[in-house]
Amino acid sequence: MTERTEKTRTKRTVARRSHLSTSLAASLATSPAASLVLLAVSFTALAVLFAFLRVPMPDALVYRAEGAAVVHGRDLYGFTVTEGRLPATYPPFAAVLFAPMAWLSVPVLKAAFLAGNALLLAWLVHLSARLAGRRSPFPLLCAGTALALWLEPVFQTFVFGQINLAIACLVLWDLTRPPGARGKGVAIGVATGIKLTPALFIVHLSLRGREHRREAVTAAAAFAGTVALGALLLPAASVDYWTRRIFETNRVGKPWIIANQSLQGLVARALRDPSPFPAWVLVSAVVAALGLWLARRVPDERWGVLLTGLTALLVSPISWSHHWVWCVPMTAVLLADGRRAWAAAVAVVFTARTMWLVPRDGDMDLHLSWWQQALASPYALLGLALLAAVALEPGARRGRGQASSARSSSASMIR
């Protein structure tokens, strides 16, 4: 009797705490004042932290140097900047877009990246809600932006002065537009011209069905246009990039370090091999085939988009932790499907920063013990787990034509 009473009390306590947390979340999502305060506190804390640490934003400095190379006619792929001796790694078209940065001072550049990424994060939260089939009223938008800021990939995007949020927004905006919208696919093509990884979304559109093939052709044409524009404005740099630099994956960074959360990083650390080419290619080929097959077969287009994004991040030779800003739409879709436990797990994984807790000085990344491997590759392992969960879901194997309802099927997609 005493044990049963204790269990009852425990259940009541848990229920009260759950109700309190739900009430708090609901208050933040519906109260303009509370959400604005949360947003202000969140970004003020970020600004103070950056000022105190004197965050260098190294990638923003690389973009500025690329723009200066375009403006002054210098060798685009022959320089390095910052203490880390970082080179240019994007296609020539991206450098053309970076040209206006050449006229900005470093403090102004950093301020512009902080403000620009803040706006892009709010847009990403809005687009994530749209992908999930939900509205994003102002209080929810503010609260979501304030909380998403502290997800590790988003936070690191601000730290490095990266363009990940811009790329994700271009792709999501295009994919969430109404079917048959004029120019649908152009933004994906432009995103691919800046950073090649979104090219997998063109493949996804071509495989998804006849109604999407026109969008795939439009995206491919837009990408070709970015290549042509880069060749027209920077002919020597274009020849250099497309015949040589594109194959120099080590130019981007060491693939085996913990910051790389792609399959290549996971395999390299697991095998303790800095160049696990055969094993990595085999694993990546299997994952790419599975991911694209699932993205084509899954009844719900929302999950088709997410699975393609996950697959691109996994099979890319290098996916730095800050590339995984797709955790924002992933969380939105899971919440919309009522999978709060999964959404909470995703939020924990992308907030915990476990990869920064293991030894990583010198080549210690390649000498981790077995229990440290999971801590070192949380994003890649989560991506594989989500692919496996969807693959085991009967609705995904039935295919699009046999699903009675995309919404109801997606609600049971992740259990």
Side-chain angles (χ1 to χ4, degrees):
M1 187 68 178
T2 304
E3 183 179 354
R4 183 177 299 177
T5 303
E6 185 63 28
K7 288 182 178 180
T8 302
R9 288 178 179 174
T10 302
K11 289 180 179 179
R12 288 176 179 173
T13 301
V14 171
R16 281 196 299 269
R17 291 177 179 175
S18 176
H19 175 71
L20 286 173
S21 62
T22 303
S23 300
L24 177 59
S27 174
L28 290 173
T30 57
S31 170
S35 60
L36 274 174
V37 169
L38 179 63
L39 184 67
V41 169
S42 187
F43 276 94
T44 299
L46 180 75
V48 171
L49 182 63
F50 276 29
F52 178 75
L53 297 177
R54 297 182 180 179
V55 174
M57 293 190 187
D59 289 345
L61 298 181
V62 175
Y63 304 149
R64 181 173 178 264
E66 290 185 43
V70 173
V71 171
H72 301 294
R74 300 171 188 158
D75 183 2
L76 180 58
Y77 300 106
F79 69 82
T80 59
V81 294
T82 75
E83 293 182 2
R85 301 184 64 81
L86 301 176
T89 59
Y90 294 169
F93 172 72
V96 173
L97 298 182
F98 297 151
M101 298 182 190
W103 291 287
L104 300 180
S105 65
V106 172
V108 172
L109 179 73
K110 291 182 178 181
F113 263 86
L114 277 175
N117 273 329
L119 293 174
L120 286 168
L121 178 56
W123 192 25
L124 181 62
V125 171
H126 167 71
L127 292 173
S128 298
R130 191 161 81 176
L131 176 69
R134 297 292 187 268
R135 297 174 57 226
S136 54
F138 181 74
L140 180 61
L141 182 64
C142 291
T145 303
L147 296 175
L149 174 62
W150 300 100
L151 295 170
E152 194 270 349
V154 176
F155 180 79
Q156 291 288 77
T157 292
F158 278 81
V159 168
F160 284 98
Q162 256 284 345
I163 58 171
N164 305 306
L165 294 171
I167 298 298
C169 284
L170 282 172
V171 173
L172 265 187
W173 174 76
D174 219 346
L175 291 172
T176 56
R177 296 174 69 198
R182 179 176 296 181
K184 187 172 183 180
V186 170
I188 293 176
V190 171
T192 305
I194 299 172
K195 203 169 187 175
L196 298 177
T197 309
L200 204 64
F201 285 97
I202 302 178
V203 180
H204 165 66
L205 289 173
S206 67
L207 296 176
R208 187 65 182 173
R210 183 178 302 173
E211 65 275 16
H212 294 290
R213 285 176 189 154
R214 181 178 178 180
E215 299 165 7
V217 171
T218 301
F223 169 60
T226 67
V227 175
L229 182 60
L232 178 65
L233 299 177
L234 301 170
S238 293
V239 172
D240 188 19
Y241 180 81
W242 295 110
T243 62
R244 178 186 173 192
R245 304 299 182 179
I246 190 175
F247 304 108
E248 296 177 350
T249 55
N250 286 337
R251 179 182 178 86
V252 182
K254 297 175 182 177
W256 44 266
I257 64 176
I258 285 173
N260 183 19
Q261 290 293 304
S262 72
L263 286 175
Q264 181 173 209
L266 185 153
V267 172
R269 292 186 291 271
L271 298 180
R272 301 186 177 186
D273 183 353
S275 301
F277 186 76
W280 164 61
V281 170
L282 177 61
V283 172
S284 294
V286 172
V287 171
L290 174 63
L292 287 172
W293 181 80
L294 288 173
R296 176 181 179 273
R297 297 283 294 175
V298 73
D300 192 336
E301 178 62 22
R302 301 176 304 166
W303 277 98
V305 171
L306 289 180
L307 291 171
T308 303
L310 280 175
T311 302
L313 290 165
L314 287 170
V315 304
S316 174
I318 290 182
S319 292
W320 302 130
S321 68
H322 52 74
H323 291 169
W324 287 76
V325 293
W326 282 86
C327 61
V328 177
M330 187 191 309
T331 304
V333 171
L334 286 168
L335 288 173
D337 284 353
R339 300 299 160 189
R340 296 182 180 179
W342 266 92
V346 168
V348 168
V349 168
F350 285 101
T351 305
R353 295 160 167 78
T354 59
M355 74 284 284
W356 308 123
L357 301 179
V358 299
R360 59 182 191 279
D361 292 330
D363 63 348
M364 293 184 70
D365 310 55
L366 291 174
H367 297 88
L368 301 174
S369 58
W370 65 267
W371 62 271
Q372 293 173 324
Q373 293 291 339
L375 298 177
S377 304
Y379 301 169
L381 292 174
L382 176 65
L384 291 174
L386 284 170
L387 287 179
V390 175
L392 295 174
E393 169 61 38
R397 296 193 296 270
R398 285 198 306 270
R400 297 162 60 217
Q402 300 178 32
S404 59
S405 170
R407 294 288 179 181
S408 61
S409 178
S410 69
S412 62
M413 188 62 63
I414 299 295
R415 295 187 183 278

